[in-house]
Amino acid sequence: MPPREPTTDAAASSRRSRSRARIRDAMLPVIEAELRRGLAYSDIAIRTLTEQGDVPRSTFYLNFADKTDLLRACADHVLTETTGWAAAWWELGEDITREALHDALARAMARYLPRAPLMAAVYDGARYDDTLRDAVERITGELVGRVEEHLVRGQAGGWVDPTLLPHEAASWIMWMYERTQHQEMRHADDATIDRLVDAGTHLLWRTLYAPARRA
Amino acid sequence: MPTHAQPHRSCRARRRLEMLLRVSDVLEQTADDVDPAGRQIDDLLAAAGIARSTFYLHFRDKAELLDALGEHVFGEFLDVAGFWWALEAPVTRPDVREAMERLCDAYRVRRGTVSAVVDAAANDTGLRDRYRRLVHEVVGALEAAIVAGQLTGTIDASLDARGTATWIAWMIERGMTQLVMPADANATDRLLQTLTDLVWNALYAPA
């Protein structure tokens, strides 16, 4: 039997996804440049995005309902990136050392911080917009889940504090990172960022891993 | 300053504070409303029983009101946190748990006000910067407490006091509003237990 052809709907959906991704990738650098200039996301003009992203206005509105829809698409994309970058931490195991933890966190943060102004806009917008609130719930759920898995694995392996409640610990840590990165590190100079990475590593080491070594 | 001006200033400050507290009460009573932050200033004033003319004698606009509210509630949080930062050796987990519960209680009493201030800061660059400065006051106070603890041997001497205070302050600031405030009693207990463990491990546990 010959292979079935994709349905018309599935093919159209796939084309639309690719089109949305192309527009998102074209506009993401423009958004980040405008946020770095100090603009709020709500103040970035569609004209700026379409002209500097080289996307016809009509094409934008064929693919996105509005700027919020675009921001949500960017957030989903950054979540995919973030889980890739932070995996260097989550994949550490029983031979974890403080140095390896520091390297993993420093590299992840160096990659994430250019995205911090955009993600801060997503988290801020979530207080006012249902679609962004759903996106934030999805993002935080994913990140808490990954940290929780790491902690559960570590408790089973004897290298994470066995007394911590893993879901709650993952939740506190995830929000600590969200807030510190979006409220402090995005505004900080390199020396302050390095200092915060060092202090953050020391904090995670003492809270999660050191107690298991004392047991 | 002429002495006759001083009673006038303190009377004005007292009226301003009364107004702040009445608006805060309205925000607490309506904390569970849909979109309380979107409420117009006139609605807030009407609910608080404050005449517009009186309001504008003391505040330029809603942003200044929210600024002042933020400053007031953070002053309350700093007062409550004083119990934590005054803990003397030997600091135990139950000590830290009590400190976290006191903070949680302080947040719960002002959750509507905090929510309104945070929501406004999310939408206004000026308010966001001033809100950060309020958290930085907390960071500074916690930093001083860590340094004092390091001098007495209560807190790990290897910690970077400023960096550690920054991470912990933002963790509590965000976690209280995102995790604890919406939680039921059982979930709150688990969250506070974990916060206690994290803070105790971070600051007071043996190196």
Side-chain angles (χ1 to χ4, degrees), chain A residues 127-128 183-184 196 206 214, chain B residues 119 132 136 167 202 205-206:
Chain A
R127 299 193 75 90
Y128 290 93
Q183 300 297 324
E184 288 293 340
L196 285 171
R206 282 184 58 86
R214 285 196 298 270
Chain B
D119 282 347
R132 275 181 67 227
H136 286 172
W167 284 103

Side-chain angles (χ1 to χ4, degrees), chain A residues 1-8:
Chain A
M1 182 178 289
R4 292 179 64 177
E5 294 291 336
T7 63
T8 302

Side-chain angles (χ1 to χ4, degrees), chain B residues 8-126:
Chain B
H8 172 70
R9 273 169 62 97
S10 69
C11 184
R12 183 180 167 81
R14 196 173 58 246
R15 283 208 207 102
R16 196 171 190 266
L17 177 60
E18 279 168 9
M19 219 173 301
L20 274 183
L21 294 177
R22 281 160 71 180
V23 171
S24 181
D25 284 347
V26 170
L27 289 170
E28 296 318 315
Q29 286 157 19
T30 56
D32 294 323
D33 282 5
V34 175
D35 191 25
R39 190 180 303 118
Q40 299 300 316
I41 185 64
D42 287 349
D43 296 335
L44 272 176
L45 296 180
I50 299 169
R52 275 174 58 92
S53 54
T54 308
F55 173 77
Y56 285 109
L57 279 177
H58 295 272
F59 299 95
R60 199 171 44 248
D61 49 25
K62 185 180 177 185
E64 189 181 336
L65 169 69
L66 288 167
D67 237 357
L69 278 170
E71 203 168 321
H72 181 78
V73 297
F74 267 74
E76 291 182 345
F77 296 159
L78 280 169
D79 282 344
V80 169
F83 169 84
W84 172 16
W85 298 331
L87 290 174
E88 293 180 351
V91 175
T92 64
R93 280 184 206 254
D95 291 335
V96 177
R97 173 67 188 243
E98 183 174 349
M100 297 303 111
E101 283 182 1
R102 289 183 184 215
L103 276 174
C104 174
D105 290 344
Y107 258 90
R108 216 174 273 292
V109 166
R110 294 290 186 202
R111 69 186 182 99
T113 308
V114 171
S115 186
V117 170
V118 171
D119 282 347
N123 215 28
D124 182 299
T125 308

Side-chain angles (χ1 to χ4, degrees), chain A residues 124 127-128 161 168-169 172 175-176 178-180 183-184 187 195-196 200 202-203 206-207 211 214, chain B residues 119 122 128 132 136 156 158-160 162 167 170-171 173-175 178 190-191 194 198 201-202 205-206:
Chain A
D124 285 344
R127 299 193 75 90
Y128 290 93
D161 183 349
E168 286 75 7
W172 281 107
W175 283 114
M176 176 178 75
E178 184 273 321
R179 212 55 167 160
T180 305
Q183 300 297 324
E184 288 293 340
H187 301 288
R195 182 182 188 179
L196 285 171
H202 198 54
L203 190 72
R206 282 184 58 86
T207 53
R214 285 196 298 270
Chain B
D119 282 347
R128 185 182 309 133
R132 275 181 67 227
H136 286 172
D156 176 23
S158 70
L159 290 176
D160 166 8
R162 182 74 186 188
W167 284 103
W170 282 115
M171 175 175 69
E173 182 270 345
R174 194 61 153 173
Q178 293 294 134
R190 292 172 66 87
L191 285 164
T194 306
L198 292 173
N201 283 352

